[in-house]
Structures are given as C-alpha cells and as structure tokens.
Amino acid sequence: MTLTSIVGSGAVVSEPEWSHLFNDELEQTAAKEHWRIVTTELKERQLLAAANGHSIQRLVCAYIMFDRMYREVAENGVVTKPRRGNSKAIARISPYFTAMREAGSDAASLEAELGISPRRRGSATKIDRKQPKPRAADAYTGRG
C-alpha cells in the first residue's frame, strides 16, 4: 500500500491509496476531495496530527458509504416493496436506508471527535508541538 503526504502538511498525515479501498473511480476521486477538505481544515485550525490519520480515513469512508447508500435509497425508496405473489410478504425498511443512517451517524460522531462539526469546534484544542527540553545527555550524544 503506497501512502502519499498531503501537500503543505509537513508530512503529518499520509493519504491512503483510495484504489485499495474503493473500486469505483468516481468514489476514489470523491474520497480524495473529502480527504483534502478535511485535512486542510484541520491543518488551518492547527488540529491536524498523525494520530488523527485513521480517524480521518474512517470519516472519508463514512462519507463515501453514505453517498453510495443515498443513491440507492433515492432511486428505490426508503421502503422495499413486498414480493409479488407472496401473501405473507410485507413492506420493510430498506437495508440501504439503515446503512445510510448508520454511515451518517458514524460521520457525525467522527466529525465531533475531530472538532469539524460547527457545534464541536470550540471544544477542539490545538496540537501542542513543543520542542523537547534539552538535557545534559544531548550534548554528549550530539543531539544538542
């Protein structure tokens, strides 16, 4: 799996190879754009950290899954029609609708966790990038 760094991020977070996660080229392009938007916002707000990489990936995947399920629900409806000829068949909630809601919920919680959602922006704190304090041993080892 090849990872590429975000331009201008100081190689803080490496972008996943979307072709390993999605077969559809349109979804790969959408994932790349979602990744760019999220990482740019986090970088500008000084919230981008290497530890957030997988959370950002999960957020992008939740966006893609939501969009995929939404297309299916938009085309076929929220309720599946009962099978013809089966007197016991009943209309049911589409599994795509259930999956869409789950992906939306996952995205919302990840946005909150990352401080992206407008409601949570105030609670997100900047990454503290302190330089390590020099120690006497650093002069000996050549690090200081």
Side-chain angles (χ1 to χ4, degrees):
M1 181 191 259
T2 306
L3 300 175
T4 57
S5 295
I6 304 162
V7 177
S9 71
V12 174
V13 181
S14 296
E15 183 175 0
E17 185 63 48
W18 298 114
S19 62
H20 293 215
L21 299 171
F22 303 110
N23 294 330
D24 185 87
E25 287 184 26
L26 293 174
E27 287 182 343
Q28 293 170 22
T29 303
K32 195 170 203 60
E33 182 64 11
H34 287 306
W35 179 272
R36 187 191 62 75
I37 290 168
V38 170
T39 54
T40 299
E41 180 172 338
L42 291 175
K43 180 179 177 247
E44 287 173 355
R45 294 178 47 226
Q46 298 179 351
L47 299 173
L48 187 63
N52 293 343
H54 201 266
S55 293
I56 298 168
Q57 178 180 327
R58 287 182 290 141
L59 176 60
V60 169
C61 289
Y63 287 160
I64 299 299
M65 290 299 119
F66 180 89
D67 293 345
R68 185 186 292 174
M69 298 304 121
Y70 187 84
R71 284 190 299 272
E72 184 67 33
V73 170
E75 189 171 316
N76 298 313
V78 173
V79 177
T80 59
K81 295 176 178 71
R83 291 186 189 153
R84 288 186 177 185
N86 185 347
S87 62
K88 294 181 182 179
I90 60 171
R92 299 183 191 274
I93 297 288
S94 167
Y96 294 101
F97 180 73
T98 305
M100 180 187 78
R101 290 189 48 156
E102 189 70 30
S105 177
D106 290 349
S109 69
L110 286 163
E111 287 169 343
E113 186 179 309
L114 292 167
I116 294 173
S117 64
R119 180 180 261 180
R120 301 289 184 153
R121 287 183 183 206
S123 64
T125 57
K126 294 179 181 179
I127 303 299
D128 190 14
R129 300 192 192 278
K130 292 182 181 176
Q131 295 295 326
K133 294 181 181 178
R135 298 175 295 201
D138 292 339
Y140 177 74
T141 59
R143 292 188 225 172

